[in-house]
Amino acid sequence: MPRFTPSLSAIPPSLIIGLVGLPVCIALYAGLVGGDGATWDHILQNRLMPYTLTTLLTLFIAAVIMLGLAVPAAWIVTQYEFPGRNVFSWALILPLAMPGYVMAYAWADLMGVSGPLQSQIRDVTGLSARDYWFPNLFSTPGLAFVLASTLFPYVYITARAAFSMQTRATLEAARSLGASPLDLFWRVALPVALPAILGGLCLALMEAAADYGAADFLGVQTLGVGIVRSWTSFGEPNTAARLALMLVCIAFVFLIVARLYQGKSGVQQTSTRWLTPERSALSPSMAWLATLLCATILLLCFVAPIARLMWLAVETEARTTDLLPLLRSTLLLGLFGTALALCAALVFTLAAKRSRALRMGTRLIAAAGYAAPGAVLGLGALFFLRETGQPLAGIVAVALLVWVYVSRFTSAGVEPMQATLDRLPKNLDLAAQSLGSRGLRQFWQVDLPLILPGALAAGLILFVEILKELPATLMLRPFGWDTLAVKAHAYATDERLAQATLPSLMIVLAGLFPVLLLSWRLNQGERK
Amino acid sequence: MSAIHPLIADQVSRSFGATAAVEAASLTLEPGEITALIGHSGSGKTTFLRLLAGMERPDRGQILSGDTVLASDTQHVPIEKRNIGLVFQDFALFPHMTALENVMFGLRGTAKPDRMKIAEKWLDRLGLTSRRDAYPHHLSGGEQQRTAIARALAPNPVAILLDEPFSGLDPSMRDRVREAALSAVRDAGMPALLVTHDASEALVHADSIAVIDRGKILQTGTPDALYHQPQRVEVAKALGPVHSIDLESLPGQWRAAIGSTTGTVHYRPEAIQLGTGEPVMVRGSKLAGAVTEVALALDETNTVYAACQPGAPLLPGDQIQATINPSLVFDFTPKMT
């Protein structure tokens, strides 16, 4: 058992743990004991059951699509040589830059009755719009497709890592025992990589469960949508809290399962030679088939939606008139949020280094914030505000919103900093202390300079995450504080897609930076 | 059981870019024999094994099992169709399968109970009966290696190739595992290739040895023949320490014993025997396990190195006597004929 030694240096981290953990705790508390408003029967029958079932169905379909996209792509990229392999290997991560709601706008336009796909069908066949069946994006499977197409890189990244870490010898041993290439995949590579793949899938599903924007735009009644509507439209805070409790439970299950699988990356630990499997050549026709598969995935999940949005922006000469104030409030909120979350993450990381009890506390709270969807945290903040009796306006609302950002994204900032620290020699602290550097001096002279590269990466990631955040911003922003995400969503739900394109594209552009950073770091890791 | 044929490499070459990894290498692996292939890292021994196994395609030359062509200019039987057993340095067991399932992996074409019986037989042969349901990460290094050997032998392959199979093991268990593993391989009766950089392993355990250097197989023969009659200095060096010296600097009695008078010769340290003979002076000595290495001054500038049984301590400056055993002196200078 870690012994708890009270000390002054434990106060700031403890305070920040409280700050980060409070919104989700309030929301959970309200969900468990909140007793006023609509009856439990009404909530269960009319709200909780339908929202939950829709959410679970969406997640199930999304899981199937993500596995179908990511696992074959990861396998051929790690095992075979084919035209464009080098580019696809990292480009298949790019869809992560697109928030689900932007993907939904683009596909809604691509697949709409007057969109390019249906027009083409009518031109070619001469049929009219009523004479043929066309898949409807505004449906549960449609939402699942949209979410899967932005989130499948989570699965792709873990599958690629798991496949490329399998020793060449293991695969060659299987072949020498008569295994065909297909056998190799089904009997050896996939079972070995499965824990890692499921871990990645759970993280992706956790993100999918947290979606609000895509579901709201596509009119699919998921829990995220339900929470916001129950509060804003139905005036049933009690229902919102119950839905939030359910959503947090679902998200936590995924997070816990992902963490369970993370330990066992599925790679044999006895190997002394961890060679990346040598990629085999394919016959020309098979090689082009592999290229076609990867190109199709990239086209569907990134190129086509982006190209469509760009085309829309140019063709309609869409002018988002109030772009300047939008940029100003987005930038301000992003900077406030990033600065505070970065400080919180820094305190967490350093505290975790010093004390085991604090490490457990910070990990737990950071994970709670990470798993809790923005809608839930926004709800927690609203309950908090209601207790204090303050109106949701002005500086109070801005502070509340920044607080929710800190609560939601601190853990995203801890990770890159932790990764930087993990790479350092373990005895560095002792070395610094043996040379007389302690406390604040150690922080300025040793810890801070060392952690800086990780902190810069963390800052970038945090800023973009905040920029993309939709549900909490939507719930809490005061008048005049619309962000790019909020405005894009407002235009899109208003069926003014053309006006939504410019803010959407700006979000994607910003989102590309952390994704490229991630891709670069993954490549560095593989080269080691 | 199918008839057992030798596995033959005939003038096999393989280059990677401009580097020739294996050059016109010929070697015949006889059934029931363990042939050791020794060379230092980068000598081409692993590439040669990969060519035999079918993981690489030769640029030129043929690989045959008996009369069956496995690889030639026109043909290439892929690894999964060759039925050649492989054992790797890092064991390469399937981490998601038990020891029994690992051994059963290569068995096919029969009902599951039969396959289980065959696998159990092999686990039993290698002393692993009690570990059959253990996963690789619960097995010790030695147990993993024996499981890997059982897995390679179970499908009754036409040959078995072992790539540094014992160098990953703890020295304390290496001898025991090696004994058990190699006796199972020898009993199985198929041709076996043991790739190693450990000369003593090859000398003790192989029936014949091939020395490979810079992609070329320099000499093949029994351990005794290679140790005592190496045809090239590289072969002599591959099998144990050798030193070189000018004949002119040797005492006359030694030159007479060797039988020639000019040029450079190589000798193994145990060729110098202390006791009687020519007077020499001790320059230094150090204990190296089972033997003592002694540097002996012949005169101001020339030194020879001897390996002898540890005995009374030899101190620098001691005057002693020594003879030379000509059978451990090699003359590699090209003979005019």
Side-chain angles (χ1 to χ4, degrees):
Chain A
M1 276 300 281
R3 205 158 54 91
F4 183 70
T5 7
S7 86
L8 279 178
S9 63
I11 294 176
S14 308
L15 280 177
I16 293 177
I17 289 177
L19 183 76
V20 169
L22 199 56
V24 65
C25 291
I26 296 175
L28 291 180
Y29 176 79
L32 283 169
V33 303
D36 56 333
T39 66
W40 177 232
D41 242 19
H42 163 79
I43 295 173
L44 191 68
Q45 295 286 327
N46 301 320
R47 306 274 189 257
L48 197 57
M49 286 297 280
Y51 283 127
T52 305
L53 289 179
T54 308
T55 304
L56 291 178
L57 182 64
T58 308
L59 294 181
F60 175 76
I61 302 173
V64 173
I65 299 175
M66 285 194 280
L67 289 176
L69 291 173
V71 177
W75 175 247
I76 60 174
V77 160
T78 50
Q79 293 300 310
Y80 299 108
E81 225 23 276
F82 56 89
R85 193 207 72 87
N86 279 335
V87 175
F88 289 125
S89 173
W90 62 266
L92 285 170
I93 301 177
L94 289 179
L96 269 188
M98 296 190 75
Y101 50 87
V102 173
M103 189 70 94
Y105 310 154
W107 273 105
D109 187 65
L110 280 167
M111 289 174 68
V113 178
S114 52
L117 294 178
Q118 292 212 46
S119 312
Q120 200 61 39
I121 291 178
R122 288 193 297 271
D123 286 352
V124 171
T125 58
L127 293 169
S128 83
R130 290 204 193 114
D131 299 333
Y132 59 91
W133 177 85
F134 195 78
N136 180 13
L137 193 71
F138 292 76
S139 65
T140 305
L143 174 64
F145 163 74
V146 161
L147 294 178
S149 60
T150 71
L151 295 173
F152 83 91
Y154 279 104
V155 188
Y156 168 76
I157 290 169
T158 50
R160 195 181 73 170
F163 286 143
S164 67
M165 278 206 286
Q166 295 188 3
T167 65
R168 182 162 73 182
T170 309
L171 296 178
E172 283 174 348
R175 291 187 64 196
S176 78
L177 293 164
S180 70
L182 218 59
D183 268 348
L184 215 58
F185 177 73
W186 284 111
R187 289 181 66 198
V188 181
L190 190 61
V192 174
L194 202 59
I197 292 175
L198 290 181
L201 181 68
C202 283
L203 281 187
L205 289 176
M206 194 186 81
E207 293 281 344
D211 164 78
Y212 162 78
D216 185 56
F217 173 70
L218 295 175
V220 180
Q221 307 295 316
T222 60
L223 284 165
V225 173
I227 293 168
V228 178
R229 285 213 181 146
S230 300
W231 181 277
T232 54
S233 313
F234 311 144
E236 295 177 16
N238 203 20
T239 305
R242 293 267 154 79
L243 296 181
L245 182 65
M246 176 57 87
L247 185 54
V248 169
C249 287
I250 292 175
F252 264 91
V253 168
F254 286 129
L255 181 67
I256 290 166
V257 176
R259 288 282 140 91
L260 282 181
Y261 281 130
Q262 236 165 25
K264 19 183 158 171
S265 56
V267 177
Q268 163 172 25
Q269 48 289 78
T270 55
S271 286
T272 49
R273 292 196 275 190
W274 285 42
L275 287 175
T276 301
E278 217 167 62
R279 289 184 286 274
S280 359
L282 284 168
S283 69
S285 54
M286 288 304 279
W288 284 110
L289 209 63
T291 307
L292 186 70
L293 176 75
C294 290
T296 310
I297 295 176
L298 198 62
L299 183 76
L300 285 180
C301 301
F302 191 71
V303 179
I306 293 278
R308 185 62 187 171
L309 287 180
M310 285 170 140
W311 186 84
L312 265 181
V314 173
E315 192 232 23
T316 58
E317 290 176 27
R319 292 285 171 270
T320 313
T321 44
D322 44 1
L323 203 59
L324 225 54
L326 268 189
L327 282 175
R328 189 192 57 117
S329 49
T330 307
L331 211 63
L332 278 178
L333 282 175
L335 286 178
F336 287 154
T338 303
L340 283 176
L342 205 56
C343 289
L346 192 64
V347 172
F348 272 20
T349 314
L350 294 178
K353 228 173 67 167
R354 304 275 142 90
S355 135
R356 212 182 294 170
L358 281 175
R359 190 181 323 162
M360 308 256 281
T362 52
R363 284 228 178 117
L364 192 71
I365 294 300
Y370 178 48
V376 174
L377 297 177
L379 189 71
L382 285 172
F383 274 119
F384 177 80
L385 195 69
R386 198 174 60 169
E387 288 304 308
T388 61
Q390 296 276 336
L392 182 65
I395 194 70
V396 176
V398 172
L400 215 54
L401 187 51
V402 170
W403 179 29
V404 167
Y405 288 153
V406 172
S407 173
R408 172 100 167 89
F409 297 120
T410 293
S411 64
V414 170
E415 251 163 72
M417 288 201 251
Q418 192 63 52
T420 310
L421 281 191
D422 286 346
R423 279 199 292 272
L424 299 173
K426 289 221 166 59
N427 286 327
L428 208 62
D429 277 346
L430 289 177
Q433 284 160 15
S434 74
L435 295 168
S437 181
R438 276 190 154 277
L440 266 184
R441 190 160 155 236
Q442 188 187 350
F443 174 75
W444 280 116
Q445 291 190 331
V446 184
D447 294 335
L448 200 63
L450 287 175
I451 221 169
L452 207 62
L456 289 177
L460 177 67
I461 293 167
L462 287 170
F463 184 78
V464 174
E465 284 295 334
I466 292 173
L467 178 102
K468 282 155 66 173
E469 209 288 331
L470 182 58
T473 316
L474 205 59
M475 291 164 92
L476 296 173
R477 79 199 187 289
F479 180 78
W481 282 82
D482 280 355
T483 62
L484 286 172
V486 168
K487 202 69 184 177
H489 186 70
Y491 280 134
T493 39
D494 243 11
E495 299 198 5
R496 289 152 72 190
L497 259 184
Q499 271 110 318
T501 51
L502 208 55
S504 296
L505 281 171
M506 291 171 88
I507 294 170
V508 175
L509 189 68
L512 277 175
F513 289 104
V515 169
L516 291 175
L517 182 74
L518 170 74
S519 170
W520 179 75
R521 287 219 310 242
L522 288 174
N523 277 338
Q524 292 291 101
E526 266 180 26
R527 244 175 251 154
K528 265 180 199 157
Chain B
M1 191 180 238
S2 56
I4 298 177
H5 303 289
L7 185 69
I8 303 157
D10 179 19
Q11 297 288 313
V12 171
S13 300
R14 177 78 167 104
S15 309
F16 296 107
T19 353
V22 171
E23 221 180 316
S26 296
L27 185 64
T28 301
L29 307 178
E30 295 292 349
E33 276 190 6
I34 294 176
T35 304
L37 181 66
I38 66 172
H40 26 243
S41 45
S43 58
K45 55 187 196 301
T46 296
T47 305
F48 185 71
L49 176 140
R50 294 173 64 82
L51 286 163
L52 289 180
M55 292 179 267
E56 302 281 350
R57 249 185 119 129
D59 300 329
R60 283 179 305 283
Q62 278 196 328
I63 294 165
L64 305 133
S65 169
D67 299 331
T68 318
V69 178
L70 298 180
S72 69
D73 292 346
T74 51
Q75 253 177 302
H76 179 74
V77 178
I79 172 171
E80 56 266 30
K81 301 267 163 62
R82 283 196 187 186
N83 194 18
I84 288 179
L86 286 178
V87 178
F88 298 87
Q89 179 185 4
D90 55 4
F91 322 131
L93 294 177
F94 305 125
H96 59 300
M97 297 181 188
T98 62
L100 183 72
E101 286 163 349
N102 263 283
V103 179
M104 284 170 67
F105 186 94
L107 300 170
R108 55 195 68 211
T110 47
K112 195 171 174 192
D114 295 337
R115 283 184 280 148
M116 214 140 131
K117 224 174 275 168
I118 297 172
E120 276 167 347
K121 188 192 87 185
W122 280 105
L123 286 175
D124 189 38
R125 174 71 184 78
L126 284 144
L128 292 162
T129 310
S130 63
R131 309 297 282 146
R132 49 167 269 172
D133 294 323
Y135 283 91
H137 55 278
H138 290 133
L139 297 172
S140 71
E143 287 170 337
Q144 292 189 38
Q145 191 55 282
R146 279 180 286 152
T147 308
I149 288 177
R151 182 179 69 178
L153 290 172
N156 192 20
V158 299
I160 180 163
L161 312 177
L162 307 111
D163 185 9
E164 303 266 0
F166 309 111
S167 54
L169 296 178
D170 200 302
S172 63
M173 61 159 71
R174 196 181 295 156
D175 284 337
R176 222 155 20 91
V177 172
R178 182 157 50 196
E179 209 58 60
L182 291 182
S183 87
V185 167
R186 197 174 269 120
D187 290 353
M190 69 264 312
L193 182 73
L194 172 66
V195 168
T196 179
H197 62 260
D198 180 351
S200 62
E201 180 172 274
L203 287 167
V204 175
H205 295 282
D207 301 298
S208 73
I209 297 180
V211 176
I212 186 167
D213 186 59
R214 280 175 247 172
K216 293 192 178 114
I217 291 185
L218 302 179
Q219 192 178 345
T220 309
T222 62
D224 191 53
L226 257 69
Y227 193 80
H228 291 110
Q229 293 138 38
Q231 287 159 8
R232 307 170 60 129
V233 62
E234 294 88 348
V235 175
K237 279 183 177 162
L239 289 159
V242 280
H243 302 284
S244 66
I245 192 150
D246 275 340
L247 276 172
E248 275 101 59
S249 59
L250 290 182
Q253 205 188 0
W254 291 15
R255 268 187 288 181
I258 294 164
S260 56
T261 51
T262 53
T264 303
V265 290
H266 290 77
Y267 63 94
R268 296 213 181 274
E270 61 268 31
I272 314 285
Q273 288 160 351
L274 308 189
T276 56
E278 296 281 325
V280 288
M281 190 187 74
V282 176
R283 266 221 171 126
S285 76
K286 61 182 182 217
L287 187 65
V291 292
T292 298
E293 292 170 9
V294 192
L296 299 168
L298 301 173
D299 50 46
E300 299 283 288
T301 51
N302 291 298
T303 306
V304 290
Y305 300 90
C308 60
Q309 299 292 322
L314 294 165
L315 299 172
D318 284 359
Q319 294 289 339
I320 55 170
Q321 291 179 315
T323 54
I324 196 161
N325 173 1
S327 74
L328 289 167
V329 178
F330 316 125
D331 184 359
F332 296 122
T333 39
K335 299 277 180 303
M336 295 294 174
T337 44

